Amino acid sequence: MEKKCVNEKKCGNCKYLHMTYKEQLKKKEEFVKHELEKCPELKGHFKPIIGMENPWNYRNKVTAVFDRDRKGNPISGVYQEGTHRVIPVEKCLIEDELADKIIGTIRGMLRSFKIKVYDEDTGYGLLRYVLVRRGFATGEVMVVLVTASPIFPSKRNFTNALLKAHPEITTVVQNVNNRTDSLILGDKQQVLFGKGYIEDILCGCRFRISPASFYQINPVQTEKLYSKAVELAELSGKETVIDAYCGIGTIGLIASKHAKNVISVELNPDAVRDAIVNAKVNGIKNVRFYKADAGRFLTQMAEEGAKADVLLMDPPRNGSSEEFLRSAALLGPGKIVYISCNPVSLGRDLGVLKKLGYRAEECWMVDMFPWVGHVESVIIMQNCGLKGK
Ligand code: SAH
């Protein structure tokens, strides 16, 4: 089962490559249990981590940084851990194999199209990053060419040549990023071929994914995670559900089939736009989407005296805010299902929720990132009646 990676040391992403998959799963379980020790009520309620049958090449999204080697040849890969030096990557054990091939093709095309790679120090050159996203269920493939300038002289011929080499590609987008920070995508983009987005299917729902929208990178495990989250909510069809940090609407849309209505909130405007389309595409009419900061939105709901039966929340790595958690308790949901990609911020937030009257009952873990140190958990909490204290 073990595989070797030539870039393991320099890249530093796959911290668990020296272990067996089984050992790694155990390590992740221990990590979550350790971080949640401050919730003694969870003792004896940790369910065995849900691993992958084939934990390789699971990433549906691959980002490559472009640079030149000492001889001036274009290279693409990842930044060496903690630096801005690019390590060339041709194949990666966790990335989608087709995505890696497409990136290799692009690298090979640069010279004949006289496309210069961008130089971070001088600001000279055009191509900065290539992002490939693939819908594993639909087979759709999106290529995003991130350039430093909107002027891309041979873009039509370049796109045609790329499509000829990889007819599997369903859309090509040029994104312009002339900033100097570490964000990959800029604000401006132009569709060079196809629809400008891909679709994928999860838990029987179809989802539109734009270049900048968040979408889980391991769809096989994501289905298990979302199904578990919705199952733990024990919906009967009568509930008002909040889906906070909803991204492109995934969890709330899946849950909507079992609820009266869903109120979904998300900060990223592109994701909200996708979410609204996703509801339509799936013929779902009982979900409303709001583009707002989730904390502020819940505070406003609480001020208006609104109530909710179930709160589904899936915040980013740094977790939720005190404002969000306090307002959440004021809305008085009987259950909170907290999905977390970071056991540290999860532990902190559970501590706050406990003081607000929510008792953590079960912890489920799903391995969404084999060989990488991250682990996803789902916690079900019940309201013990200290609402809003
Ligand atoms: N539930 C979604 C997305 C989870 S990722 C899914 O599973 O696909 C976390 C999401 O929170 C991202 O889409 C991010 O844009 C959003 N986000 C980050 N900070 C936020 C905030 N303060 N208010 C609302 N949404 C926020």
Side-chain angles (χ1 to χ4, degrees), residues 202 212-216 222 225-226 243-252 265-269 271 290-296 313-319 321 324 339 341 376:
L202 277 182
S213 295
F214 175 89
Y215 184 63
Q216 289 286 2
T222 302
L225 177 77
Y226 291 169
D243 176 16
Y245 310 92
C246 73
I248 58 169
T250 41
I251 302 169
V265 56
E266 161 65 44
L267 195 57
N268 177 337
Y290 297 88
K291 190 216 132 327
D293 169 81
R296 221 155 296 150
M313 58 185 287
D314 184 13
R317 281 196 72 69
N318 51 357
S321 65
F324 178 95
I339 302 166
C341 57
E376 197 92 6

Side-chain angles (χ1 to χ4, degrees), residues 2-119:
E2 271 113 305
K3 296 192 185 187
K4 289 263 171 284
C5 168
V6 287
N7 293 317
E8 182 182 351
K9 289 263 152 41
K10 286 188 195 154
C11 162
N13 190 32
C14 293
K15 303 260 187 268
Y16 292 157
L17 265 186
H18 60 284
M19 293 180 194
T20 64
Y21 188 51
K22 222 172 160 184
E23 281 166 351
Q24 168 189 165
L25 290 178
K26 193 152 180 281
K27 184 124 187 136
K28 292 187 178 188
E29 275 186 352
E30 280 163 9
F31 173 42
V32 173
K33 283 183 187 165
H34 175 73
E35 288 304 325
L36 300 186
E37 261 169 10
K38 36 184 138 8
C39 307
E41 63 277 21
L42 274 174
K43 208 161 178 216
H45 300 286
F46 288 92
K47 305 292 174 186
I49 186 165
I50 302 168
M52 283 191 92
E53 241 164 73
N54 172 17
W56 305 105
N57 303 102
Y58 57 83
R59 281 193 68 105
N60 58 6
K61 172 177 137 177
V62 176
T63 309
V65 197
F66 276 72
D67 201 353
R68 278 177 308 166
D69 64 13
R70 282 201 202 120
K71 292 184 194 140
N73 298 317
I75 56 167
S76 67
V78 291
Y79 287 120
Q80 181 165 352
E81 201 178 15
T83 73
H84 260 224
R85 199 169 316 132
V86 176
I87 317 165
V89 175
E90 278 179 31
K91 263 188 184 176
C92 165
L93 297 174
I94 62 170
E95 289 173 354
D96 177 50
E97 288 173 292
L98 174 62
D100 283 346
K101 279 194 194 131
I102 293 173
I103 290 164
T105 302
I106 293 174
R107 201 171 52 234
M109 286 166 57
L110 296 181
R111 194 150 271 184
S112 55
F113 281 88
K114 298 195 172 62
I115 295 171
K116 296 256 183 318
V117 298
Y118 178 75
D119 183 324

Side-chain angles (χ1 to χ4, degrees), residues 223-242:
E223 279 204 323
K224 298 178 190 165
L225 177 77
Y226 291 169
S227 308
K228 184 49 73 185
V230 174
E231 181 193 316
L232 290 171
E234 293 184 303
L235 299 169
S236 70
K238 294 191 187 121
E239 296 84 357
T240 292
V241 176
I242 296 175

Side-chain angles (χ1 to χ4, degrees), residues 31-32 35-36 315-319 338-349 369 374-377:
F31 173 42
V32 173
E35 288 304 325
L36 300 186
R317 281 196 72 69
N318 51 357
Y338 192 139
I339 302 166
S340 162
C341 57
N342 181 0
V344 180
S345 56
L346 173 66
R348 180 200 67 208
D349 290 350
F369 313 99
H374 297 162
V375 53
E376 197 92 6
S377 353

Side-chain angles (χ1 to χ4, degrees), residues 170-368:
T170 52
T171 188
V172 181
V173 177
Q174 179 193 359
N175 177 284
V176 182
N177 182 357
N178 51 17
R179 285 189 317 249
T180 49
D181 55 25
S182 58
L183 290 180
I184 291 180
L185 295 181
D187 297 330
K188 272 195 241 131
Q189 60 190 38
Q190 190 193 358
V191 178
L192 303 180
F193 172 75
K195 311 181 279 195
Y197 57 85
I198 53 162
E199 290 186 324
D200 200 15
I201 298 166
L202 277 182
C203 302
C205 289
R206 215 175 165 87
F207 295 104
R208 172 187 288 204
I209 309 148
S210 293
S213 295
F214 175 89
Y215 184 63
Q216 289 286 2
I217 55 95
N218 183 340
V220 171
Q221 294 298 88
T222 302
E223 279 204 323
K224 298 178 190 165
L225 177 77
Y226 291 169
S227 308
K228 184 49 73 185
V230 174
E231 181 193 316
L232 290 171
E234 293 184 303
L235 299 169
S236 70
K238 294 191 187 121
E239 296 84 357
T240 292
V241 176
I242 296 175
D243 176 16
Y245 310 92
C246 73
I248 58 169
T250 41
I251 302 169
L253 289 170
I254 293 164
S256 70
K257 297 176 181 167
H258 315 282
K260 188 171 110 206
N261 63 318
V262 181
I263 299 163
S264 296
V265 56
E266 161 65 44
L267 195 57
N268 177 337
D270 287 350
V272 176
R273 229 171 286 138
D274 285 352
I276 293 167
V277 174
N278 288 335
K280 270 205 199 110
V281 168
N282 291 286
I284 295 171
K285 298 206 169 83
N286 59 342
V287 185
R288 293 207 65 159
F289 295 96
Y290 297 88
K291 190 216 132 327
D293 169 81
R296 221 155 296 150
F297 182 78
L298 257 63
T299 304
Q300 206 178 332
M301 273 185 82
E303 279 167 8
E304 287 164 7
K307 293 283 165 213
D309 302 305
V310 173
L311 169 64
L312 305 171
M313 58 185 287
D314 184 13
R317 281 196 72 69
N318 51 357
S320 197
S321 65
E322 185 110 13
E323 180 192 18
F324 178 95
L325 299 170
R326 287 195 176 282
S327 303
L330 288 171
L331 298 172
K335 291 191 182 79
I336 298 180
V337 181
Y338 192 139
I339 302 166
S340 162
C341 57
N342 181 0
V344 180
S345 56
L346 173 66
R348 180 200 67 208
D349 290 350
L350 290 190
V352 177
L353 284 166
K354 188 174 174 177
K355 285 193 198 127
L356 292 164
Y358 283 86
R359 188 188 156 83
E361 303 223 303
E362 257 176 33
C363 175
W364 290 80
M365 295 164 249
V366 179
D367 186 26
M368 303 273 279

